[in-house]
Amino acid sequence: MRRSLPFLVLLLASTAACNRTDVGPSNRTAETANSTDAAGDMMEAPVPGTSVPSREGGPDIGTTAAPDVAFDYRYGFRLAADRIAQVQDQHQLLCERYTLARCRITGMTYRAAGQGDVEASMSFALDPAVARQFGHDAVQRVTAADGSVTESAIEGNEVGPSLRATGRTLSELQSDLERIELRLSGLDSGSALKSGLEEQAAELRAQIRSLRESRGSQAESLAMTPMIFRYGSGSLAPGPDQQPTLSEAAADMGESAMYGLYLLARVLIALAPWAGAALILWLVVRFLRRRLSPRPAGAAVESEAI
C-alpha cells in the first residue's frame, strides 16, 4: 500500500499538467481573437467630435468638434447665367424647410452686367447644428444645375473662453457695485464720501452695461452661424479665372465684332442729322455764291447784242 501511494500521486500530477496544457492555448487564442475584434471595432467606430472631409463643399467641420468656436461659412459658385436665379430660388426653398429660428435669409443681390456676365449673392443666418448639412444640400443644388464650387472657406473665432471670462468679470463688477450701494445706503446726504462713491458706482454701471453688450454679441455669434453664397457666370464668376475654350473664344470674337458694328451704327445715326445739316448749308452757300457773283464783261456785251 505504501509503494502504491507515490505512483498514485505521480499519476494525478501528470493528469493535472495535461489539463492545463490543453486549456491554455485555447484560452489564449480566444483572448487574442477578442482583443483583435475589439481593436477592429475601435478602428472602425468613428471618434466622437471628428469630421469627414467633403469633396463637394470643402472642409467639413461640425459644432461637436469645436463647441466654443463661432464659424463663418463662405461659398463661391460658378454657374451659367440663366441658371443663377433658378439656383437662388432653390436655396431659398431649402432654407424655408427649417423653422425661422434655425434658418433665415438676411440678404440677396442680383446684377446682370452684360450678356453672360451675372453676379449674385445670398446670405443666411443658421443654427450651428444645421449649418453643415445646409451647406451640403446647397452644394448639391448647384452641381445638379451643372455648376461647380470655386471657393469654400470656413473661418472660426474662438469666443467661448472670452465669453466665460466676461461672465466672471461681470460677476466681480456686480459684487463691487452691490458693496458700494450698500455703503451708500448707510451714509447721510451730507457725507463727504457720498459723491466719490456715487462716481464709482456710475463707472461700474457703465462697465457692466458695456460688458453685457459685448457678451450678448458673443453669445449671438455662437447661437447663429452666418453663411454667404456668391454666384457668378462669365467674367464675374468667383474664384480663379478659367481659360476660355476655342469655341468660347470664337464666340467672344464674334460678339466683339457685332458690338463694334453696333457702336459704329450708333455713331453714324448720332452724326447723321449734323451731316445732313452741313450738306444743306453747303448747297445753300454754293447757290448764293453763283447768284451773287459778278458776271464777266464779255458775257454782258454778248447778252446786249442778242
Side-chain angles (χ1 to χ4, degrees), residues 81 84 110-119 232-237 252 255:
I84 291 180
Y110 184 92
R111 184 176 74 91
Q115 185 177 4
D117 295 332
V118 176
E119 64 177 353
S233 64
S235 60
L236 298 180
D252 292 340
E255 291 180 359

Side-chain angles (χ1 to χ4, degrees), residues 232-263:
S233 64
S235 60
L236 298 180
D241 296 333
Q242 291 185 348
Q243 295 296 330
T245 61
L246 184 60
S247 59
E248 292 176 347
D252 292 340
M253 185 180 299
E255 291 180 359
S256 299
M258 293 299 296
Y259 186 68
L261 292 176
Y262 168 73
L263 290 179

Side-chain angles (χ1 to χ4, degrees), residues 218-241:
Q218 291 174 347
E220 185 178 357
S221 65
L222 281 178
M224 298 300 291
T225 297
M227 184 175 293
I228 299 176
F229 294 161
R230 292 178 58 228
Y231 316 83
S233 64
S235 60
L236 298 180
D241 296 333

